[in-house]
Protein backbone atom coordinates (compact mmCIF):
# COMPACT_ATOMS: atom_id res chain seq x y z
CA UNK A 1 0.00 0.00 0.00
CA UNK A 2 1.30 3.44 -0.80
CA UNK A 3 0.80 6.33 1.54
CA UNK A 4 -1.30 8.31 -0.90
CA UNK A 5 -3.76 5.76 -2.18
CA UNK A 6 -5.73 4.95 0.92
CA UNK A 7 -7.40 7.68 2.94
CA UNK A 8 -5.58 8.58 6.07
CA UNK A 9 -8.01 8.09 8.96
CA UNK A 10 -5.97 10.36 11.23
CA UNK A 11 -6.46 13.48 9.15
CA UNK A 12 -9.64 15.20 8.18
CA UNK A 13 -8.38 17.85 5.82
CA UNK A 14 -10.47 20.91 5.19
CA UNK A 15 -11.47 20.86 1.58
CA UNK A 16 -13.33 23.70 -0.01
CA UNK A 17 -15.78 22.48 -2.58
CA UNK A 18 -16.40 24.35 -5.83
CA UNK A 19 -19.65 23.97 -7.73
CA UNK A 20 -19.46 24.14 -11.52
CA UNK A 21 -22.36 24.09 -13.99
CA UNK A 22 -22.44 21.25 -16.49
CA UNK A 23 -25.20 22.49 -18.81
CA UNK A 24 -28.87 22.87 -17.84
CA UNK A 25 -29.36 19.51 -16.11
CA UNK A 26 -26.15 18.72 -14.26
CA UNK A 27 -23.82 20.20 -11.65
CA UNK A 28 -20.31 19.22 -10.59
CA UNK A 29 -19.11 19.52 -7.02
CA UNK A 30 -15.32 19.42 -7.09
CA UNK A 31 -12.64 19.30 -4.41
CA UNK A 32 -9.15 19.84 -5.74
CA UNK A 33 -7.73 19.02 -9.14
CA UNK A 34 -5.43 16.12 -8.34
CA UNK A 35 -5.72 12.42 -7.53
CA UNK A 36 -5.92 12.29 -3.76
CA UNK A 37 -7.24 9.45 -1.59
CA UNK A 38 -8.65 11.81 1.05
CA UNK A 39 -10.52 13.88 -1.53
CA UNK A 40 -11.82 10.68 -3.12
CA UNK A 41 -13.00 9.39 0.26
CA UNK A 42 -14.87 12.67 0.87
CA UNK A 43 -16.51 12.36 -2.56
CA UNK A 44 -17.61 8.80 -1.88
CA UNK A 45 -18.94 9.79 1.56
CA UNK A 46 -20.83 12.69 -0.06
CA UNK A 47 -22.27 10.26 -2.59
CA UNK A 48 -23.60 8.14 0.29
CA UNK A 49 -24.98 11.24 2.03
CA UNK A 50 -26.79 12.38 -1.14
CA UNK A 51 -28.23 8.90 -1.69
CA UNK A 52 -29.53 8.96 1.88
CA UNK A 53 -31.06 12.42 1.43
CA UNK A 54 -32.84 11.35 -1.80
CA UNK A 55 -33.29 14.95 -3.01
CA UNK A 56 -36.34 15.14 -5.29
CA UNK A 57 -35.30 15.85 -8.88
CA UNK A 58 -31.84 14.31 -8.52
CA UNK A 59 -31.63 11.61 -11.17
CA UNK A 60 -28.06 10.34 -11.12
CA UNK A 61 -24.94 10.85 -9.02
CA UNK A 62 -21.53 10.03 -10.47
CA UNK A 63 -18.60 10.05 -8.03
CA UNK A 64 -15.20 10.37 -9.73
CA UNK A 65 -11.63 10.88 -8.48
CA UNK A 66 -12.16 14.28 -6.90
CA UNK A 67 -15.57 15.44 -7.99
CA UNK A 68 -19.16 14.37 -8.05
CA UNK A 69 -21.50 14.95 -10.95
CA UNK A 70 -25.22 15.29 -10.19
CA UNK A 71 -27.76 15.06 -12.99
CA UNK A 72 -31.08 16.67 -12.15
CA UNK A 73 -34.44 17.49 -13.67
CA UNK A 74 -34.87 21.29 -13.59
CA UNK A 75 -38.62 20.79 -13.70
CA UNK A 76 -38.37 19.38 -10.17
CA UNK A 77 -35.32 21.11 -8.72
CA UNK A 78 -33.59 24.17 -10.16
CA UNK A 79 -29.79 24.20 -10.31
CA UNK A 80 -29.52 27.28 -8.09
CA UNK A 81 -31.47 25.53 -5.30
CA UNK A 82 -29.60 22.27 -5.79
CA UNK A 83 -26.28 24.07 -5.30
CA UNK A 84 -27.41 25.07 -1.79
CA UNK A 85 -28.56 21.51 -1.03
CA UNK A 86 -25.25 20.05 -2.26
CA UNK A 87 -23.14 22.40 -0.16
CA UNK A 88 -25.27 21.59 2.87
CA UNK A 89 -24.86 17.87 2.30
CA UNK A 90 -21.11 18.37 1.92
CA UNK A 91 -20.87 20.35 5.16
CA UNK A 92 -23.00 17.90 7.14
CA UNK A 93 -22.11 14.52 5.68
CA UNK A 94 -21.63 11.76 8.21
CA UNK A 95 -18.06 11.76 9.49
CA UNK A 96 -17.27 8.18 8.59
CA UNK A 97 -14.56 6.60 6.55
CA UNK A 98 -15.82 3.46 4.97
CA UNK A 99 -12.73 1.41 4.18
CA UNK A 100 -14.52 -0.25 1.28
CA UNK A 101 -14.82 -3.96 0.60
CA UNK A 102 -11.57 -5.81 -0.15
CA UNK A 103 -11.55 -8.02 -3.25
CA UNK A 104 -8.81 -10.53 -4.07
CA UNK A 105 -8.74 -10.79 -7.84
CA UNK A 106 -7.13 -13.86 -9.45
CA UNK A 107 -4.69 -12.89 -12.21
CA UNK A 108 -2.97 -15.02 -14.82
CA UNK A 109 0.20 -13.00 -15.46
CA UNK A 110 1.77 -12.92 -18.92
CA UNK A 111 0.44 -14.99 -21.79
CA UNK A 112 -1.53 -13.71 -24.74
CA UNK A 113 -3.44 -11.01 -22.86
CA UNK A 114 -0.56 -10.00 -20.58
CA UNK A 115 1.52 -9.35 -23.69
CA UNK A 116 3.45 -6.39 -22.23
CA UNK A 117 4.71 -8.15 -19.07
CA UNK A 118 8.17 -9.12 -20.32
CA UNK A 119 8.79 -5.85 -22.13
CA UNK A 120 7.75 -3.90 -19.04
CA UNK A 121 10.18 -5.91 -16.92
CA UNK A 122 12.97 -5.15 -19.42
CA UNK A 123 12.06 -1.42 -19.42
CA UNK A 124 12.24 -1.36 -15.63
CA UNK A 125 15.38 -3.54 -15.47
CA UNK A 126 13.48 -6.06 -13.36
CA UNK A 127 12.79 -9.75 -13.77
CA UNK A 128 9.31 -10.81 -14.81
CA UNK A 129 8.85 -12.39 -11.38
CA UNK A 130 9.78 -9.10 -9.71
CA UNK A 131 7.14 -7.22 -11.74
CA UNK A 132 4.54 -9.82 -10.77
CA UNK A 133 5.56 -9.58 -7.11
CA UNK A 134 5.33 -5.77 -7.20
CA UNK A 135 1.97 -5.72 -8.97
CA UNK A 136 0.40 -8.42 -6.81
CA UNK A 137 1.99 -7.12 -3.62
CA UNK A 138 0.18 -3.78 -3.67
CA UNK A 139 -3.28 -2.92 -2.42
CA UNK A 140 -5.27 -0.77 -4.80
CA UNK A 141 -8.13 1.62 -4.27
CA UNK A 142 -10.98 1.79 -6.80
CA UNK A 143 -11.17 5.54 -7.24
CA UNK A 144 -14.05 5.35 -9.66
CA UNK A 145 -15.97 3.27 -12.14
CA UNK A 146 -16.21 5.01 -15.45
CA UNK A 147 -15.64 5.20 -19.17
CA UNK A 148 -17.23 1.81 -19.92
CA UNK A 149 -19.65 -0.40 -17.93
CA UNK A 150 -17.87 -1.60 -14.79
CA UNK A 151 -14.41 -0.30 -15.79
CA UNK A 152 -12.41 0.12 -12.55
CA UNK A 153 -9.75 2.83 -12.20
CA UNK A 154 -7.20 1.65 -9.63
CA UNK A 155 -4.87 3.83 -7.58
CA UNK A 156 -1.98 2.39 -5.60
CA UNK A 157 0.23 1.16 -8.43
CA UNK A 158 3.82 0.99 -7.08
CA UNK A 159 5.77 4.02 -8.36
CA UNK A 160 8.30 1.91 -10.23
CA UNK A 161 5.55 0.45 -12.41
CA UNK A 162 4.22 3.86 -13.54
CA UNK A 163 4.45 3.68 -17.35
CA UNK A 164 3.13 5.96 -20.10
CA UNK A 165 0.34 4.68 -22.36
CA UNK A 166 1.20 3.29 -25.81
CA UNK A 167 1.42 5.91 -28.56
CA UNK A 168 -0.92 3.84 -30.71
CA UNK A 169 -3.83 2.08 -28.98
CA UNK A 170 -4.42 -1.58 -29.76
CA UNK A 171 -7.81 -2.36 -31.23
CA UNK A 172 -8.88 -5.52 -29.42
CA UNK A 173 -8.07 -5.84 -25.75
CA UNK A 174 -10.37 -8.45 -24.17
CA UNK A 175 -12.53 -8.16 -21.07
CA UNK A 176 -10.60 -9.17 -17.96
CA UNK A 177 -7.31 -7.67 -19.16
CA UNK A 178 -5.32 -6.20 -16.26
CA UNK A 179 -3.10 -3.28 -17.13
CA UNK A 180 -1.27 -0.07 -16.43
CA UNK A 181 -1.92 3.44 -17.79
CA UNK A 182 0.37 6.10 -16.39
CA UNK A 183 0.02 6.01 -12.59
CA UNK A 184 -3.18 3.99 -12.69
CA UNK A 185 -4.06 0.35 -12.82
CA UNK A 186 -7.20 -1.11 -14.32
CA UNK A 187 -9.35 -4.17 -14.79
CA UNK A 188 -10.98 -4.18 -18.21
CA UNK A 189 -14.71 -4.84 -17.94
CA UNK A 190 -15.56 -5.08 -21.63
CA UNK A 191 -13.43 -5.72 -24.69
CA UNK A 192 -12.30 -2.87 -26.91
CA UNK A 193 -9.45 -0.64 -27.98
CA UNK A 194 -6.94 0.52 -25.37
CA UNK A 195 -3.60 2.28 -25.18
CA UNK A 196 -2.78 0.79 -21.77
CA UNK A 197 -0.06 -1.84 -21.23
CA UNK A 198 -1.32 -5.22 -20.11
CA UNK A 199 0.34 -7.57 -17.63
CA UNK A 200 -2.26 -10.27 -17.23
CA UNK A 201 -5.84 -11.44 -17.39
CA UNK A 202 -8.48 -12.36 -14.87
CA UNK A 203 -11.22 -14.91 -15.48
CA UNK A 204 -13.36 -12.75 -13.17
CA UNK A 205 -16.14 -10.94 -14.97
CA UNK A 206 -16.41 -7.56 -13.32
CA UNK A 207 -19.41 -6.79 -15.52
CA UNK A 208 -21.90 -9.35 -16.77
CA UNK A 209 -25.33 -7.99 -17.72
CA UNK A 210 -26.80 -11.50 -17.54
CA UNK A 211 -25.81 -12.02 -13.90
CA UNK A 212 -28.12 -11.21 -10.98
CA UNK A 213 -25.57 -8.64 -9.81
CA UNK A 214 -24.14 -7.34 -13.09
CA UNK A 215 -21.48 -5.10 -11.48
CA UNK A 216 -19.01 -6.44 -8.90
CA UNK A 217 -17.12 -3.32 -7.88
CA UNK A 218 -18.07 0.12 -6.66
CA UNK A 219 -15.98 3.21 -6.09
CA UNK A 220 -14.19 3.08 -2.74
CA UNK A 221 -13.60 -0.70 -2.81
CA UNK A 222 -10.07 -2.11 -2.45
CA UNK A 223 -8.40 -4.68 -4.69
CA UNK A 224 -5.46 -7.09 -4.38
CA UNK A 225 -4.23 -9.39 -7.13
CA UNK A 226 -3.42 -13.08 -6.61
CA UNK A 227 -1.21 -14.79 -9.21
CA UNK A 228 -2.81 -17.98 -10.57
CA UNK A 229 -1.71 -20.62 -13.05
CA UNK A 230 -3.29 -21.52 -16.39
CA UNK A 231 -5.20 -24.51 -15.01
CA UNK A 232 -6.87 -22.51 -12.26
CA UNK A 233 -7.58 -19.68 -14.73
CA UNK A 234 -9.33 -22.13 -17.04
CA UNK A 235 -11.38 -23.63 -14.22
CA UNK A 236 -12.41 -20.19 -12.90
CA UNK A 237 -13.21 -19.02 -16.43
CA UNK A 238 -15.60 -21.93 -16.90
CA UNK A 239 -17.43 -21.08 -13.67
CA UNK A 240 -17.42 -17.42 -14.58
CA UNK A 241 -18.95 -17.95 -18.00
CA UNK A 242 -21.66 -20.06 -16.37
CA UNK A 243 -22.72 -16.85 -14.61
CA UNK A 244 -21.13 -17.71 -11.27
CA UNK A 245 -19.52 -15.00 -9.15
CA UNK A 246 -16.16 -16.61 -8.42
CA UNK A 247 -14.91 -14.37 -5.61
CA UNK A 248 -16.49 -12.80 -2.54
CA UNK A 249 -15.25 -9.60 -0.93
CA UNK A 250 -14.15 -9.14 2.65
CA UNK A 251 -16.71 -6.77 4.16
CA UNK A 252 -16.01 -3.09 4.57
CA UNK A 253 -15.38 -1.51 7.94
CA UNK A 254 -15.42 1.91 9.48
CA UNK A 255 -11.99 3.42 9.80
CA UNK A 256 -12.75 6.72 11.45
CA UNK B 1 -46.66 -10.09 -33.49
CA UNK B 2 -43.35 -9.05 -34.96
CA UNK B 3 -41.55 -7.00 -37.56
CA UNK B 4 -39.02 -8.60 -39.88
CA UNK B 5 -35.99 -6.66 -41.05
CA UNK B 6 -35.86 -7.40 -44.79
CA UNK B 7 -32.82 -5.20 -45.35
CA UNK B 8 -30.92 -2.92 -43.00
CA UNK B 9 -28.85 0.22 -43.43
CA UNK B 10 -25.56 0.44 -41.53
CA UNK B 11 -26.87 2.40 -38.54
CA UNK B 12 -30.23 0.84 -37.75
CA UNK B 13 -30.60 0.16 -34.02
CA UNK B 14 -33.23 -0.34 -31.32
CA UNK B 15 -33.52 2.62 -28.93
CA UNK B 16 -35.91 3.55 -26.15
CA UNK B 17 -35.89 6.23 -23.42
CA UNK B 18 -32.38 5.10 -22.45
CA UNK B 19 -30.66 3.70 -19.37
CA UNK B 20 -30.71 6.00 -16.36
CA UNK B 21 -29.22 5.64 -12.90
CA UNK B 22 -26.16 3.63 -13.95
CA UNK B 23 -23.65 6.31 -14.92
CA UNK B 24 -21.78 5.74 -11.64
CA UNK B 25 -21.14 2.19 -12.91
CA UNK B 26 -19.85 3.40 -16.26
CA UNK B 27 -23.08 2.82 -18.17
CA UNK B 28 -24.17 5.77 -20.27
CA UNK B 29 -27.75 6.58 -21.15
CA UNK B 30 -27.68 5.52 -24.81
CA UNK B 31 -31.22 6.12 -26.10
CA UNK B 32 -32.06 8.27 -29.11
CA UNK B 33 -29.76 11.01 -30.41
CA UNK B 34 -32.93 13.07 -31.08
CA UNK B 35 -35.38 12.24 -28.30
CA UNK B 36 -38.04 14.69 -29.57
CA UNK B 37 -38.24 13.06 -32.99
CA UNK B 38 -38.43 9.60 -31.43
CA UNK B 39 -41.13 10.71 -29.00
CA UNK B 40 -43.18 12.03 -31.94
CA UNK B 41 -42.71 8.78 -33.89
CA UNK B 42 -43.98 6.82 -30.89
CA UNK B 43 -46.90 9.15 -30.16
CA UNK B 44 -48.05 8.96 -33.80
CA UNK B 45 -48.39 5.19 -33.31
CA UNK B 46 -50.20 5.56 -29.99
CA UNK B 47 -47.14 4.35 -28.05
CA UNK B 48 -45.76 5.86 -24.84
CA UNK B 49 -43.06 8.38 -25.83
CA UNK B 50 -40.29 6.26 -24.30
CA UNK B 51 -41.28 3.02 -26.06
CA UNK B 52 -38.63 1.17 -28.05
CA UNK B 53 -38.40 2.21 -31.70
CA UNK B 54 -35.73 2.17 -34.39
CA UNK B 55 -33.11 4.83 -35.01
CA UNK B 56 -31.28 5.10 -38.31
CA UNK B 57 -28.75 7.24 -40.15
CA UNK B 58 -28.27 6.79 -43.88
CA UNK B 59 -30.77 4.40 -45.50
CA UNK B 60 -33.00 2.68 -42.94
CA UNK B 61 -33.93 -0.47 -44.83
CA UNK B 62 -36.92 -2.68 -45.59
CA UNK B 63 -39.52 -4.04 -43.17
CA UNK B 64 -42.43 -6.50 -43.17
CA UNK B 65 -44.99 -7.32 -40.52
CA UNK B 66 -46.88 -10.55 -39.86
CA UNK B 67 -50.08 -8.79 -38.82
CA UNK B 68 -51.45 -5.30 -39.58
CA UNK B 69 -49.48 -2.62 -37.73
CA UNK B 70 -49.27 1.13 -37.74
CA UNK B 71 -45.90 2.78 -38.23
CA UNK B 72 -44.52 6.28 -38.49
CA UNK B 73 -41.23 7.76 -39.64
CA UNK B 74 -39.91 11.05 -38.33
CA UNK B 75 -36.93 12.38 -40.22
CA UNK B 76 -36.89 15.36 -42.52
CA UNK B 77 -38.18 14.50 -45.98
CA UNK B 78 -37.42 10.80 -45.98
CA UNK B 79 -38.43 8.58 -48.92
CA UNK B 80 -40.99 6.18 -47.41
CA UNK B 81 -42.75 3.60 -49.59
CA UNK B 82 -45.23 0.82 -48.97
CA UNK B 83 -44.83 -1.59 -51.88
CA UNK B 84 -43.42 1.29 -53.90
CA UNK B 85 -46.24 3.71 -53.01
CA UNK B 86 -44.96 6.94 -51.44
CA UNK B 87 -46.35 7.92 -48.05
CA UNK B 88 -45.62 10.93 -45.85
CA UNK B 89 -43.30 11.27 -42.89
CA UNK B 90 -44.54 12.64 -39.55
CA UNK B 91 -47.86 10.76 -39.58
CA UNK B 92 -48.72 7.14 -39.03
CA UNK B 93 -49.77 4.65 -41.71
CA UNK B 94 -50.99 1.08 -41.81
CA UNK B 95 -48.64 -1.67 -42.97
CA UNK B 96 -50.48 -4.86 -43.88
CA UNK B 97 -49.11 -8.41 -43.96
CA UNK B 98 -47.31 -9.07 -47.23
CA UNK B 99 -46.56 -5.40 -47.84
CA UNK B 100 -42.96 -4.21 -47.73
CA UNK B 101 -42.06 -0.91 -46.15
CA UNK B 102 -38.93 0.67 -47.61
CA UNK B 103 -37.35 3.70 -45.97
CA UNK B 104 -34.58 5.72 -47.57
CA UNK B 105 -32.06 8.31 -46.40
CA UNK B 106 -33.12 11.24 -44.21
CA UNK B 107 -33.08 14.49 -46.18
CA UNK B 108 -32.07 17.64 -44.31
CA UNK B 109 -31.42 15.56 -41.20
CA UNK B 110 -29.02 12.84 -40.11
CA UNK B 111 -30.94 10.74 -37.59
CA UNK B 112 -34.39 9.31 -38.30
CA UNK B 113 -36.86 7.25 -36.28
CA UNK B 114 -39.32 4.48 -37.10
CA UNK B 115 -41.95 3.50 -34.56
CA UNK B 116 -44.33 0.55 -34.81
CA UNK B 117 -47.59 0.35 -32.86
CA UNK B 118 -47.11 -1.65 -29.68
CA UNK B 119 -43.42 -0.74 -29.57
CA UNK B 120 -40.51 -3.13 -30.02
CA UNK B 121 -40.74 -5.68 -27.21
CA UNK B 122 -37.28 -7.27 -27.09
CA UNK B 123 -36.07 -8.10 -23.55
CA UNK B 124 -34.59 -5.26 -21.51
CA UNK B 125 -30.92 -5.17 -20.52
CA UNK B 126 -30.22 -3.21 -17.31
CA UNK B 127 -33.66 -1.63 -17.44
CA UNK B 128 -33.67 -0.51 -21.06
CA UNK B 129 -33.95 -1.85 -24.61
CA UNK B 130 -31.54 0.77 -25.97
CA UNK B 131 -28.56 -0.47 -27.95
CA UNK B 132 -25.17 0.75 -26.74
CA UNK B 133 -23.08 -0.14 -29.77
CA UNK B 134 -19.66 0.56 -28.22
CA UNK B 135 -20.08 -1.82 -25.31
CA UNK B 136 -22.35 -4.24 -27.13
CA UNK B 137 -25.16 -3.77 -24.64
CA UNK B 138 -28.94 -3.90 -25.10
CA UNK B 139 -30.93 -4.01 -28.33
CA UNK B 140 -30.37 -7.21 -30.32
CA UNK B 141 -27.04 -8.66 -29.07
CA UNK B 142 -25.80 -5.11 -28.57
CA UNK B 143 -25.38 -4.57 -32.31
CA UNK B 144 -26.86 -2.70 -35.25
CA UNK B 145 -29.76 -4.60 -36.85
CA UNK B 146 -29.27 -6.89 -39.84
CA UNK B 147 -31.46 -8.41 -42.53
CA UNK B 148 -33.26 -11.41 -41.07
CA UNK B 149 -33.68 -10.00 -37.57
CA UNK B 150 -37.19 -10.49 -36.20
CA UNK B 151 -38.33 -7.91 -33.67
CA UNK B 152 -41.30 -8.78 -31.44
CA UNK B 153 -43.90 -6.05 -30.94
CA UNK B 154 -45.93 -5.27 -27.83
CA UNK B 155 -49.71 -5.33 -27.40
CA UNK B 156 -51.56 -3.22 -29.93
CA UNK B 157 -55.12 -2.15 -30.63
CA UNK B 158 -55.58 -2.87 -34.32
CA UNK B 159 -58.65 -0.63 -34.52
CA UNK B 160 -56.83 2.45 -33.22
CA UNK B 161 -56.65 5.25 -35.79
CA UNK B 162 -53.59 6.53 -37.59
CA UNK B 163 -52.50 9.91 -36.24
CA UNK B 164 -51.00 13.13 -37.51
CA UNK B 165 -50.24 16.51 -35.89
CA UNK B 166 -53.24 18.85 -35.68
CA UNK B 167 -51.66 21.60 -37.76
CA UNK B 168 -48.83 21.23 -40.26
CA UNK B 169 -45.77 20.17 -38.31
CA UNK B 170 -43.46 23.02 -37.58
CA UNK B 171 -39.95 21.79 -37.02
CA UNK B 172 -39.77 19.59 -33.95
CA UNK B 173 -36.37 21.17 -33.42
CA UNK B 174 -35.47 24.82 -34.03
CA UNK B 175 -33.72 25.22 -37.34
CA UNK B 176 -32.04 28.58 -37.05
CA UNK B 177 -29.89 30.65 -34.74
CA UNK B 178 -26.73 29.72 -32.94
CA UNK B 179 -26.52 26.56 -30.83
CA UNK B 180 -26.63 27.67 -27.20
CA UNK B 181 -24.14 26.56 -24.57
CA UNK B 182 -23.54 27.02 -20.85
CA UNK B 183 -19.85 27.67 -20.11
CA UNK B 184 -18.02 25.15 -17.94
CA UNK B 185 -17.15 23.08 -16.11
CA UNK B 186 -13.51 23.67 -17.24
CA UNK B 187 -13.75 26.94 -19.19
CA UNK B 188 -11.06 28.30 -16.84
CA UNK B 189 -8.57 26.04 -18.64
CA UNK B 190 -8.92 28.35 -21.65
CA UNK B 191 -7.65 31.92 -22.05
CA UNK B 192 -10.44 34.54 -22.36
CA UNK B 193 -9.68 35.11 -26.06
CA UNK B 194 -10.05 31.36 -26.72
CA UNK B 195 -13.43 31.31 -24.94
CA UNK B 196 -14.40 34.26 -27.17
CA UNK B 197 -13.40 32.23 -30.20
CA UNK B 198 -16.10 29.73 -29.23
CA UNK B 199 -18.83 32.28 -29.96
CA UNK B 200 -17.14 34.51 -32.53
CA UNK B 201 -16.11 31.94 -35.10
CA UNK B 202 -17.92 29.41 -37.23
CA UNK B 203 -17.36 25.67 -36.74
CA UNK B 204 -17.85 22.97 -39.37
CA UNK B 205 -19.58 19.62 -38.95
CA UNK B 206 -16.98 16.96 -39.86
CA UNK B 207 -17.56 13.36 -40.99
CA UNK B 208 -16.03 12.10 -37.73
CA UNK B 209 -19.26 11.36 -35.94
CA UNK B 210 -21.27 8.48 -34.53
CA UNK B 211 -23.70 7.92 -31.68
CA UNK B 212 -20.94 8.59 -29.16
CA UNK B 213 -19.64 11.97 -30.29
CA UNK B 214 -19.10 14.38 -33.16
CA UNK B 215 -15.86 16.22 -33.91
CA UNK B 216 -16.16 19.86 -34.98
CA UNK B 217 -13.66 21.40 -37.39
CA UNK B 218 -12.62 24.82 -38.62
CA UNK B 219 -11.62 26.43 -35.31
CA UNK B 220 -9.07 25.32 -32.72
CA UNK B 221 -9.49 25.94 -29.01
CA UNK B 222 -6.07 25.38 -27.39
CA UNK B 223 -6.11 25.17 -23.61
CA UNK B 224 -3.53 27.20 -21.71
CA UNK B 225 -3.55 24.61 -18.89
CA UNK B 226 -3.10 21.53 -21.05
CA UNK B 227 -5.60 19.04 -22.37
CA UNK B 228 -5.45 16.47 -19.57
CA UNK B 229 -7.59 16.72 -16.46
CA UNK B 230 -8.10 14.16 -13.72
CA UNK B 231 -11.00 12.24 -15.32
CA UNK B 232 -14.40 13.42 -14.18
CA UNK B 233 -18.05 13.04 -15.13
CA UNK B 234 -19.44 13.93 -18.55
CA UNK B 235 -22.96 14.41 -19.91
CA UNK B 236 -24.41 14.38 -23.43
CA UNK B 237 -23.68 17.88 -24.73
CA UNK B 238 -20.29 18.19 -23.03
CA UNK B 239 -17.81 19.94 -25.36
CA UNK B 240 -14.49 18.25 -24.67
CA UNK B 241 -11.31 19.71 -26.13
CA UNK B 242 -8.52 17.15 -26.67
CA UNK B 243 -4.93 17.98 -27.62
CA UNK B 244 -5.87 18.63 -31.26
CA UNK B 245 -7.79 21.70 -30.06
CA UNK B 246 -10.78 20.55 -32.12
CA UNK B 247 -13.89 20.31 -29.97
CA UNK B 248 -15.65 17.01 -29.49
CA UNK B 249 -19.36 17.08 -28.64
CA UNK B 250 -20.59 14.10 -26.63
CA UNK B 251 -23.91 12.52 -27.64
CA UNK B 252 -26.32 9.94 -26.20
CA UNK B 253 -23.85 7.06 -26.32
CA UNK B 254 -20.89 8.94 -24.83
CA UNK B 255 -18.57 7.52 -22.23
CA UNK B 256 -19.58 8.49 -18.68
CA UNK B 257 -16.25 10.01 -17.63
CA UNK B 258 -13.48 11.70 -19.53
CA UNK B 259 -10.02 13.19 -19.16
CA UNK B 260 -10.23 16.19 -21.52
CA UNK B 261 -11.18 19.67 -20.29
CA UNK B 262 -14.76 20.67 -21.14
CA UNK B 263 -15.06 24.28 -22.24
CA UNK B 264 -18.87 24.32 -22.27
CA UNK B 265 -22.00 22.17 -22.40
CA UNK B 266 -24.62 22.42 -25.15
CA UNK B 267 -28.08 23.01 -23.71
CA UNK B 268 -30.47 20.07 -23.87
CA UNK B 269 -32.89 21.92 -26.14
CA UNK B 270 -30.24 22.48 -28.84
CA UNK B 271 -28.16 19.28 -28.73
CA UNK B 272 -30.35 17.31 -31.15
CA UNK B 273 -30.38 20.26 -33.56
CA UNK B 274 -26.58 20.16 -33.69
CA UNK B 275 -26.55 16.37 -34.04
CA UNK B 276 -28.98 16.61 -36.97
CA UNK B 277 -26.73 18.95 -38.98
CA UNK B 278 -25.25 17.33 -42.08
CA UNK B 279 -21.51 17.02 -42.67
CA UNK B 280 -20.11 20.30 -44.00
CA UNK B 281 -22.76 22.47 -42.33
CA UNK B 282 -21.55 25.54 -40.43
CA UNK B 283 -22.51 26.14 -36.84
CA UNK B 284 -22.17 29.06 -34.46
CA UNK B 285 -22.46 28.98 -30.68
CA UNK B 286 -23.87 31.50 -28.24
CA UNK B 287 -23.63 31.52 -24.46
CA UNK B 288 -26.58 31.44 -22.07
CA UNK B 289 -26.54 31.19 -18.29
CA UNK B 290 -27.43 27.97 -16.51
CA UNK B 291 -30.72 29.54 -15.37
CA UNK B 292 -31.58 30.57 -18.93
CA UNK B 293 -30.69 27.10 -20.16
CA UNK B 294 -33.11 25.58 -17.65
CA UNK B 295 -35.90 27.99 -18.73
CA UNK B 296 -35.32 27.07 -22.37
CA UNK B 297 -35.46 23.35 -21.50
CA UNK B 298 -38.75 23.77 -19.62
CA UNK B 299 -40.27 25.79 -22.49
CA UNK B 300 -39.04 23.18 -24.97
CA UNK B 301 -40.74 20.41 -22.99
CA UNK B 302 -44.00 22.42 -22.84
CA UNK B 303 -43.92 22.84 -26.63
CA UNK B 304 -43.26 19.15 -27.10
CA UNK B 305 -46.12 18.16 -24.79
CA UNK B 306 -48.46 20.52 -26.68
CA UNK B 307 -47.39 19.00 -29.99
CA UNK B 308 -47.96 15.46 -28.77
CA UNK B 309 -51.27 16.34 -27.10
CA UNK B 310 -52.45 17.87 -30.37
CA UNK B 311 -52.22 14.72 -32.48
CA UNK B 312 -55.47 13.93 -34.27
CA UNK B 313 -56.87 10.89 -36.03
CA UNK B 314 -56.34 10.87 -39.76
CA UNK B 315 -59.60 10.59 -41.71
CA UNK B 316 -58.77 7.27 -43.26
CA UNK B 317 -61.56 7.40 -45.79
CA UNK B 318 -60.21 10.62 -47.20
CA UNK B 319 -58.01 9.82 -50.14
CA UNK B 320 -54.78 11.69 -49.91
CA UNK B 321 -53.18 13.28 -52.94
CA UNK B 322 -50.23 10.89 -52.99
CA UNK B 323 -52.67 7.98 -53.03
CA UNK B 324 -54.69 9.47 -55.87
CA UNK B 325 -51.50 10.15 -57.82
CA UNK B 326 -50.47 6.54 -57.43
CA UNK B 327 -53.76 5.19 -58.80
CA UNK B 328 -54.51 4.42 -62.40
CA UNK B 329 -57.55 6.66 -62.61
CA UNK B 330 -59.04 5.40 -65.85
CA UNK B 331 -61.50 7.95 -67.16
CA UNK B 332 -60.30 10.54 -64.66
CA UNK B 333 -62.08 12.06 -61.72
CA UNK B 334 -63.93 15.31 -61.94
CA UNK B 335 -65.68 15.09 -58.57
CA UNK B 336 -63.17 13.64 -56.09
CA UNK B 337 -65.39 14.44 -53.12
CA UNK B 338 -67.76 11.69 -54.28
CA UNK B 339 -65.03 9.11 -53.83
CA UNK B 340 -64.22 10.62 -50.47
CA UNK B 341 -67.85 10.31 -49.36
CA UNK B 342 -68.02 6.67 -50.39
CA UNK B 343 -64.77 5.82 -48.69
CA UNK B 344 -65.72 7.72 -45.51
CA UNK B 345 -69.09 6.06 -45.17
CA UNK B 346 -67.42 2.66 -45.41
CA UNK B 347 -64.94 3.65 -42.78
CA UNK B 348 -67.50 4.49 -40.09
CA UNK B 349 -66.12 5.15 -36.68
CA UNK B 350 -62.55 6.03 -37.43
CA UNK B 351 -63.40 9.64 -38.30
CA UNK B 352 -63.10 11.06 -34.83
Amino acid sequence: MTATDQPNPATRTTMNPTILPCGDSALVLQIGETIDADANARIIALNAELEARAIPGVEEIVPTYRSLLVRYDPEIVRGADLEVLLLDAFAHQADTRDAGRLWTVPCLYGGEVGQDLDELAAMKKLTTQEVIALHSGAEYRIYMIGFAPGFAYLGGLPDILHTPRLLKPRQNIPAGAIGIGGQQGNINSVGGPSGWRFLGWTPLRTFDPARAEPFLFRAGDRVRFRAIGADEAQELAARSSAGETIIQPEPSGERA
Amino acid sequence: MSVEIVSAGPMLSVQDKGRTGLRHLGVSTAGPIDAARMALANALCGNPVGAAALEFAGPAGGFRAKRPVRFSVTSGGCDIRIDGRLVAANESHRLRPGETLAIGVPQGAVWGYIAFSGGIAIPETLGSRSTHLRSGLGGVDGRALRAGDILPLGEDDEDAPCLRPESPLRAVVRRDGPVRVVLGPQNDYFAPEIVERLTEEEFTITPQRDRMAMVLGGVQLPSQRGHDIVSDGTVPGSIQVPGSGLPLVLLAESQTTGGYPKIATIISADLARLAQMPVGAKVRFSIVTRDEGEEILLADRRNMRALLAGLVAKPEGLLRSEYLLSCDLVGGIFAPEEIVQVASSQDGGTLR
Side-chain angles (χ1 to χ4, degrees), chain B residues 38-58:
Chain B
M38 199 179 90
L40 176 63
N42 270 321
L44 289 167
C45 293
N47 298 344
V49 292
L54 303 181
E55 179 183 87
F56 63 100

Side-chain angles (χ1 to χ4, degrees), chain B residues 78 138 146 204:
Chain B
C78 204
R146 303 196 277 247
T204 312

Side-chain angles (χ1 to χ4, degrees), chain B residues 215-226:
Chain B
V215 177
L216 303 181
V219 184
Q220 285 186 314
L221 303 172
S223 154
Q224 59 182 0
R225 291 179 57 193

